[in-house]
Amino acid sequence: KHVYIHLDSKSLGDTLAWFPYVEEFRLKHCCKVICSTFWNDLFKLEYPEIEFVAPGSVVDNLYAMYEVGIFNNEFKEPHDYRKIPLQQIASNILGLEYKEIKPRVYIRNNQEQNKNKTKLVGISTNSTSQCKFWNYPGGWQSIVDFLTFRGYQVVLLQLEGSDLKNVIKPNCSDIQDAITWLAKCQFYIGISSGVSWLAWTLNIPVIMISGFTKPFNEFDCIRIKPNDNICHGCWHEHVFDDKAKGDWNWCPNHKGTDRQFECTKTITPKQVIQTIENNFIL
């Protein structure tokens, strides 16, 4: 039987989180899966048994169709997406047992990986909303300065510009260029964003700085989070609807006050440096 599965998110992180369950579905039901994502080229060569089509394509002769996404709709998703891991959204909708699974992705320059000769660390400082940022003033430059002093080169992996000094700023307009750089890194420091999911997919150790999500939301990684007495985890308590998406400074509990974004403002460079020293040989 033919089954069509559409991943209804343009986000790189969502897509990497959800896609492994498309393959799990195919294996469980021994069916012909047709899949559409906004990142098809990452998966086509790694999953030859799946037929990939562009989002919005007309697909005929179907037995069933599934749409995987973040829905405020009990018919589409009976579980509250805010209370479960991001990956479990896909396993729930597709009727599968939840377990953390990494996808396979195509690496164009796989032969260029060499983590032993270059002391390279990847970072990404930007994302789609200020609540996702590490909002400690000057925090990232402090980490870059520390790593540079310890003999590392720091590569900034993002499309957005940056005022950070002493970092490599490659052109990452092609995702494969970002993958080539990331695959060379000894470890990666980021926030709750797509590049962190990409590093995890590539088996690069990840240090994640996040306050708007709780640790269960993402994958197993080295997590730096605020103290429990600090406001955090708003993603799991409030609905991030279209109005919220249009508000760059979305901070539902403390917007416009001195406590705005306190979840990550209170995470200090010292905490991040200690985490690096405790987990990696410098």
Side-chain angles (χ1 to χ4, degrees), residues 206-270:
V206 174
I207 295 176
M208 182 182 294
I209 305 168
S210 182
F212 88 109
T213 61
K214 294 184 178 180
F216 73 80
N217 186 75
E218 290 89 12
F219 48 88
D220 183 26
C221 64
I222 303 165
R223 182 87 175 205
I224 303 177
K225 60 183 183 64
N227 293 331
D228 290 340
N229 62 334
I230 299 295
C231 181
H232 66 285
C234 56
W235 173 257
H236 308 291
E237 304 299 331
H238 299 271
V239 176
F240 196 69
D241 55 16
D242 290 339
K243 182 179 179 180
K245 291 176 183 177
D247 181 2
W248 180 262
N249 291 311
W250 185 75
C251 178
N253 295 327
H254 302 295
K255 183 179 178 180
T257 74
D258 292 341
R259 296 183 63 187
Q260 183 170 339
F261 304 131
E262 73 174 11
C263 56
T264 55
K265 280 181 179 177
T266 56
I267 295 173
T268 67
K270 182 178 179 180

Side-chain angles (χ1 to χ4, degrees), residues 59-70:
V59 182
D60 298 319
N61 191 31
L62 293 177
Y63 176 76
M65 175 176 172
Y66 291 82
E67 185 177 25
V68 178
I70 296 176

